[in-house]
Amino acid sequence: PCLRYKIMSRNMWEGLGGPVRMDQPDLSGIDPTLDSCCRREIESSRKRSILEQTLSRHDVVAIKERRKRHVLSNLSWGAGCRCCYDPNADGGEYRALMEARQQVEYEKREEEQEEEKEPPKEQEGSSDTDSEFDYLLDDDLPEDSGIYEMEQRRLAQLEFAVLQQEVAIQHGYGVHRQMHPNRVLKAAGLGGTTPPPAVVLHLVDPDSMASATLDLCLEDLARTYKGTKFLRSGGRSVLLLDSEMARKSLPRLSPDSDMPALVAIRDGVVIAICPRLQGLLSNESDHAVVMPDQVQSWLDIAGALLEQAPPMEQVCLIRPEEEALMDHLAASAAHAPPRYDCGIPTCDKMFPHEHVGVQNDKQDGLIVQEQDVIGTDE
């Protein structure tokens, strides 16, 4: 169990930068006819079990180990939870976005080269003397147990905050992801029982420069608004492949005349739709680009921009009973007896045996041994 905890009161622990409440043990159902020593032993066992459950629930290392089996590492953008993504369908980029990204990177390299050519500017008021905060780096600070405990509590708080942010990103919060057209509406929470609190959905026109610049803009917004899911997919394909859900949630959108489109969703309900990105473009030409300020203002008015990600326990759709089943299967596999090696890879028998008529380096496949028939010379 994690050791970064300190008792505050009878039923409260201090850890991870804040109070952690410990569950109350259930002491009912104990046989009243038992001796007092046996009864105290049962009560102590139940209290110890509750304590271990509380510590493991808030232990960063334990949570990371449990999360490993749910994380897919072969996605096009890196890692993601298996409850949200399909490695065989989600991910990738369309042609216009790849061209726009290459153009942005080229312009960025040119700016860096121009900055390197300019002579370095002398900083006013610079001095070679030590900074007034350099004393914090000294090793001769007085040793104080209170300072050490405060550092440990702060370290635990930061580790837990990093873990929460990592889990949120693995579930699509604060990042912009491309998903399969047949899955993106369900991933946005439309028609689901546990929708995300806020989703920005971009129905893409893969040949439109406006779509490409909008996706670059949404990627920048995702770095700030970490409580919102940013999704994109081919607009025409979404409305045709998932037509039943599209008719219920997006009845006004036409796959032929309204693409690209931007959709703001809150708690599984469509709040606002912007067909053909009306009011967000610099002009009405085919080479128009989106205006980032207008996009942010439109999404802010729709209430789709949230800065705080939901709690870690609410972002994953994998149920606790499923995790318990996986723990049971893993424990059963660890304690399973070894398989007997009979030379056949597909055989799972665990006791010594031979296969009649199968000859390999482990067995000859004969019922009667050759020496029993022809005899052996003594």
Side-chain angles (χ1 to χ4, degrees), residues 30-49:
I30 302 177
D31 190 354
T33 62
L34 292 175
D35 294 337
S36 59
C37 59
C38 297
R39 183 180 179 87
R40 286 196 300 270
E41 183 178 354
I42 295 176
E43 292 177 355
S44 176
S45 176
R46 293 187 181 183
K47 292 179 180 179
R48 184 170 60 253
S49 177

Side-chain angles (χ1 to χ4, degrees), residues 34-278:
L34 292 175
D35 294 337
S36 59
C37 59
C38 297
R39 183 180 179 87
R40 286 196 300 270
E41 183 178 354
I42 295 176
E43 292 177 355
S44 176
S45 176
R46 293 187 181 183
K47 292 179 180 179
R48 184 170 60 253
S49 177
I50 289 295
L51 174 60
E52 291 177 354
Q53 292 177 10
T54 303
L55 293 178
S56 64
R57 187 169 62 245
H58 295 276
D59 188 0
V60 174
V61 177
I63 295 175
K64 285 185 176 181
E65 291 298 320
R66 290 197 299 268
R67 288 289 315 156
K68 279 184 179 179
R69 60 192 175 198
H70 303 315
V71 175
L72 302 172
S73 58
N74 56 343
L75 299 169
S76 62
W77 57 77
C81 185
R82 63 183 178 89
C83 76
C84 301
Y85 302 113
D86 182 358
N88 299 320
D90 301 329
E93 295 181 347
Y94 54 95
R95 181 180 58 83
L97 178 57
M98 290 188 290
E99 294 177 355
R101 198 183 300 280
Q102 291 175 358
Q103 180 65 26
V104 171
E105 292 176 356
Y106 175 76
E107 294 176 355
K108 184 178 180 179
R109 285 196 301 268
E110 284 191 340
E111 292 179 358
E112 292 176 353
Q113 292 176 359
E114 291 294 333
E115 292 178 357
E116 291 177 356
K117 294 179 181 179
E118 296 179 358
K121 297 181 179 179
E122 295 183 359
Q123 298 181 355
E124 297 181 0
S126 60
S127 174
D128 295 334
T129 58
D130 294 339
S131 171
E132 57 177 326
F133 299 106
D134 285 350
Y135 74 95
L136 296 175
L137 303 177
D138 296 338
D139 296 332
D140 55 352
L141 291 176
E143 295 183 1
D144 188 353
S145 59
I147 295 178
Y148 177 75
E149 291 179 1
M150 181 180 65
E151 289 178 350
Q152 294 301 311
R153 290 197 299 270
R154 181 56 179 165
L155 178 60
Q157 181 186 19
L158 293 176
E159 288 180 354
F160 191 69
V162 171
L163 176 62
Q164 285 184 315
Q165 183 61 32
E166 180 182 346
V167 173
I169 291 176
Q170 291 173 354
H171 290 82
Y173 290 91
V175 287
H176 191 29
R177 302 303 192 203
Q178 180 164 321
M179 301 193 66
H180 191 272
N182 204 25
R183 290 168 30 83
V184 69
L185 295 182
K186 297 180 180 63
L190 300 179
T193 56
T194 55
V199 176
V200 174
L201 174 60
H202 178 203
L203 300 178
V204 172
D205 179 0
D207 298 323
S208 170
M209 184 55 64
S211 272
T213 56
L214 176 59
D215 279 329
L216 295 178
C217 174
L218 294 179
E219 289 178 1
D220 293 336
L221 289 176
R223 299 186 183 98
T224 303
Y225 299 99
K226 301 183 181 300
T228 300
K229 276 190 172 184
F230 294 83
L231 304 174
R232 67 169 179 262
S233 190
R236 180 179 174 83
S237 300
V238 168
L239 299 182
L240 294 179
L241 292 179
D242 200 0
S243 58
E244 182 178 355
M245 181 63 65
R247 283 194 299 268
K248 293 180 181 179
S249 304
L250 307 170
R252 295 185 298 168
L253 285 182
S254 169
D256 299 321
S257 58
D258 291 336
M259 298 298 112
L262 187 61
V263 183
I265 304 172
R266 283 297 306 269
D267 298 320
V269 179
V270 176
I271 301 299
I273 304 176
C274 184
R276 299 184 301 279
L277 305 182
Q278 294 176 350

Side-chain angles (χ1 to χ4, degrees), residues 316-327:
C316 191
L317 301 179
I318 299 175
R319 298 175 298 177
E321 52 267 30
E322 185 177 352
E323 287 196 352
L325 176 60
M326 295 181 67
D327 289 338

